[in-house]
PDB file of all heavy atoms in Angstrom:
ATOM      1  N   VAL A   6      -0.355  15.404  -1.061  1.00  0.00           N
ATOM      2  CA  VAL A   6      -0.070  16.677  -1.727  1.00  0.00           C
ATOM      3  C   VAL A   6      -0.507  17.774  -0.765  1.00  0.00           C
ATOM      4  O   VAL A   6      -1.706  18.004  -0.567  1.00  0.00           O
ATOM      5  CB  VAL A   6      -0.839  16.801  -3.065  1.00  0.00           C
ATOM      6  CG1 VAL A   6      -0.446  18.089  -3.782  1.00  0.00           C
ATOM      7  CG2 VAL A   6      -0.594  15.588  -3.950  1.00  0.00           C
ATOM      8  N   GLU A   7       0.473  18.402  -0.146  1.00  0.00           N
ATOM      9  CA  GLU A   7       0.191  19.311   0.976  1.00  0.00           C
ATOM     10  C   GLU A   7       1.382  20.253   1.097  1.00  0.00           C
ATOM     11  O   GLU A   7       2.510  19.806   1.165  1.00  0.00           O
ATOM     12  CB  GLU A   7       0.022  18.459   2.260  1.00  0.00           C
ATOM     13  CG  GLU A   7       0.135  19.202   3.560  1.00  0.00           C
ATOM     14  CD  GLU A   7      -1.010  20.176   3.776  1.00  0.00           C
ATOM     15  OE1 GLU A   7      -2.149  19.724   3.908  1.00  0.00           O
ATOM     16  OE2 GLU A   7      -0.744  21.401   3.797  1.00  0.00           O
ATOM     17  N   ASP A   8       1.115  21.566   1.105  1.00  0.00           N
ATOM     18  CA  ASP A   8       2.255  22.488   1.129  1.00  0.00           C
ATOM     19  C   ASP A   8       2.801  22.740   2.530  1.00  0.00           C
ATOM     20  O   ASP A   8       3.901  23.251   2.668  1.00  0.00           O
ATOM     21  CB  ASP A   8       1.894  23.807   0.435  1.00  0.00           C
ATOM     22  CG  ASP A   8       0.698  24.491   1.065  1.00  0.00           C
ATOM     23  OD1 ASP A   8      -0.234  23.783   1.480  1.00  0.00           O
ATOM     24  OD2 ASP A   8       0.701  25.731   1.149  1.00  0.00           O
ATOM     25  N   GLU A   9       2.072  22.380   3.559  1.00  0.00           N
ATOM     26  CA  GLU A   9       2.610  22.585   4.915  1.00  0.00           C
ATOM     27  C   GLU A   9       3.463  21.394   5.323  1.00  0.00           C
ATOM     28  O   GLU A   9       2.948  20.300   5.557  1.00  0.00           O
ATOM     29  CB  GLU A   9       1.476  22.759   5.919  1.00  0.00           C
ATOM     30  CG  GLU A   9       1.026  24.200   6.050  1.00  0.00           C
ATOM     31  CD  GLU A   9      -0.089  24.343   7.061  1.00  0.00           C
ATOM     32  OE1 GLU A   9       0.205  24.208   8.268  1.00  0.00           O
ATOM     33  OE2 GLU A   9      -1.242  24.542   6.651  1.00  0.00           O
ATOM     34  N   ILE A  12       2.491  19.347   8.461  1.00  0.00           N
ATOM     35  CA  ILE A  12       1.385  18.398   8.310  1.00  0.00           C
ATOM     36  C   ILE A  12       1.846  17.180   7.515  1.00  0.00           C
ATOM     37  O   ILE A  12       1.513  16.046   7.836  1.00  0.00           O
ATOM     38  CB  ILE A  12       0.174  19.069   7.608  1.00  0.00           C
ATOM     39  CG1 ILE A  12      -0.351  20.206   8.478  1.00  0.00           C
ATOM     40  CG2 ILE A  12      -0.929  18.049   7.323  1.00  0.00           C
ATOM     41  CD1 ILE A  12      -1.570  20.908   7.915  1.00  0.00           C
ATOM     42  N   GLY A  31       4.799  19.130  -2.220  1.00  0.00           N
ATOM     43  CA  GLY A  31       4.271  20.382  -1.706  1.00  0.00           C
ATOM     44  C   GLY A  31       3.394  21.159  -2.672  1.00  0.00           C
ATOM     45  O   GLY A  31       2.886  22.216  -2.327  1.00  0.00           O
ATOM     46  N   ASP A  51      -4.548  18.494  -0.509  1.00  0.00           N
ATOM     47  CA  ASP A  51      -4.880  19.781   0.064  1.00  0.00           C
ATOM     48  C   ASP A  51      -5.464  20.647  -1.059  1.00  0.00           C
ATOM     49  O   ASP A  51      -5.201  20.384  -2.234  1.00  0.00           O
ATOM     50  CB  ASP A  51      -3.573  20.387   0.614  1.00  0.00           C
ATOM     51  CG  ASP A  51      -3.769  21.726   1.285  1.00  0.00           C
ATOM     52  OD1 ASP A  51      -4.901  22.035   1.696  1.00  0.00           O
ATOM     53  OD2 ASP A  51      -2.768  22.467   1.397  1.00  0.00           O
ATOM     54  N   LEU A  52      -6.270  21.659  -0.723  1.00  0.00           N
ATOM     55  CA  LEU A  52      -6.817  22.499  -1.801  1.00  0.00           C
ATOM     56  C   LEU A  52      -6.092  23.833  -1.946  1.00  0.00           C
ATOM     57  O   LEU A  52      -5.920  24.331  -3.050  1.00  0.00           O
ATOM     58  CB  LEU A  52      -8.312  22.755  -1.575  1.00  0.00           C
ATOM     59  CG  LEU A  52      -9.246  21.549  -1.754  1.00  0.00           C
ATOM     60  CD1 LEU A  52     -10.690  21.983  -1.623  1.00  0.00           C
ATOM     61  CD2 LEU A  52      -9.013  20.839  -3.084  1.00  0.00           C
ATOM     62  N   LEU A  53      -5.693  24.413  -0.819  1.00  0.00           N
ATOM     63  CA  LEU A  53      -5.013  25.704  -0.899  1.00  0.00           C
ATOM     64  C   LEU A  53      -3.522  25.441  -1.060  1.00  0.00           C
ATOM     65  O   LEU A  53      -2.792  25.235  -0.103  1.00  0.00           O
ATOM     66  CB  LEU A  53      -5.298  26.538   0.355  1.00  0.00           C
ATOM     67  CG  LEU A  53      -6.784  26.862   0.562  1.00  0.00           C
ATOM     68  CD1 LEU A  53      -7.033  27.493   1.916  1.00  0.00           C
ATOM     69  CD2 LEU A  53      -7.311  27.765  -0.551  1.00  0.00           C
ATOM     70  N   LEU A  54      -3.104  25.405  -2.319  1.00  0.00           N
ATOM     71  CA  LEU A  54      -1.726  25.040  -2.651  1.00  0.00           C
ATOM     72  C   LEU A  54      -1.088  26.181  -3.429  1.00  0.00           C
ATOM     73  O   LEU A  54      -1.781  26.924  -4.123  1.00  0.00           O
ATOM     74  CB  LEU A  54      -1.722  23.786  -3.527  1.00  0.00           C
ATOM     75  CG  LEU A  54      -2.172  22.473  -2.877  1.00  0.00           C
ATOM     76  CD1 LEU A  54      -2.463  21.425  -3.940  1.00  0.00           C
ATOM     77  CD2 LEU A  54      -1.106  21.974  -1.915  1.00  0.00           C
ATOM     78  N   PRO A  55       0.231  26.310  -3.334  1.00  0.00           N
ATOM     79  CA  PRO A  55       0.895  27.330  -4.164  1.00  0.00           C
ATOM     80  C   PRO A  55       0.831  26.906  -5.629  1.00  0.00           C
ATOM     81  O   PRO A  55       0.850  25.717  -5.935  1.00  0.00           O
ATOM     82  CB  PRO A  55       2.338  27.302  -3.641  1.00  0.00           C
ATOM     83  CG  PRO A  55       2.515  25.954  -3.043  1.00  0.00           C
ATOM     84  CD  PRO A  55       1.168  25.536  -2.524  1.00  0.00           C
ATOM     85  N   LEU A  78      -8.204  17.036   1.837  1.00  0.00           N
ATOM     86  CA  LEU A  78      -7.950  17.428   3.234  1.00  0.00           C
ATOM     87  C   LEU A  78      -7.750  18.933   3.217  1.00  0.00           C
ATOM     88  O   LEU A  78      -6.701  19.413   2.798  1.00  0.00           O
ATOM     89  CB  LEU A  78      -6.695  16.722   3.751  1.00  0.00           C
ATOM     90  CG  LEU A  78      -6.248  17.066   5.164  1.00  0.00           C
ATOM     91  CD1 LEU A  78      -7.300  16.671   6.182  1.00  0.00           C
ATOM     92  CD2 LEU A  78      -4.922  16.393   5.489  1.00  0.00           C
ATOM     93  N   SER A  79      -8.780  19.671   3.607  1.00  0.00           N
ATOM     94  CA  SER A  79      -8.704  21.113   3.389  1.00  0.00           C
ATOM     95  C   SER A  79      -9.330  21.913   4.509  1.00  0.00           C
ATOM     96  O   SER A  79     -10.234  21.450   5.199  1.00  0.00           O
ATOM     97  CB  SER A  79      -9.409  21.466   2.076  1.00  0.00           C
ATOM     98  OG  SER A  79      -9.466  22.861   1.914  1.00  0.00           O
ATOM     99  N   ALA A  80      -8.838  23.134   4.675  1.00  0.00           N
ATOM    100  CA  ALA A  80      -9.403  24.053   5.655  1.00  0.00           C
ATOM    101  C   ALA A  80     -10.663  24.724   5.103  1.00  0.00           C
ATOM    102  O   ALA A  80     -11.422  25.332   5.840  1.00  0.00           O
ATOM    103  CB  ALA A  80      -8.377  25.117   6.030  1.00  0.00           C
ATOM    104  N   LYS A 101      -9.906  20.487   7.779  1.00  0.00           N
ATOM    105  CA  LYS A 101      -8.906  20.895   8.765  1.00  0.00           C
ATOM    106  C   LYS A 101      -9.543  21.920   9.702  1.00  0.00           C
ATOM    107  O   LYS A 101     -10.310  22.741   9.220  1.00  0.00           O
ATOM    108  CB  LYS A 101      -7.707  21.547   8.082  1.00  0.00           C
ATOM    109  CG  LYS A 101      -6.863  20.622   7.241  1.00  0.00           C
ATOM    110  CD  LYS A 101      -5.762  21.467   6.601  1.00  0.00           C
ATOM    111  CE  LYS A 101      -4.967  20.679   5.592  1.00  0.00           C
ATOM    112  NZ  LYS A 101      -4.133  21.555   4.759  1.00  0.00           N
TER     113      LYS A 101
HETATM  114 CA1   CA B 301      -2.399  24.483   2.102  1.00  0.00          CA
END
Side-chain angles (χ1 to χ4, degrees):
V6 184
E7 163 67 65
D8 58 323
E9 272 181 72
I12 297 182
D51 182 21
L52 290 185
L53 299 171
L54 292 165
L78 177 63
S79 174
K101 292 178 188 167

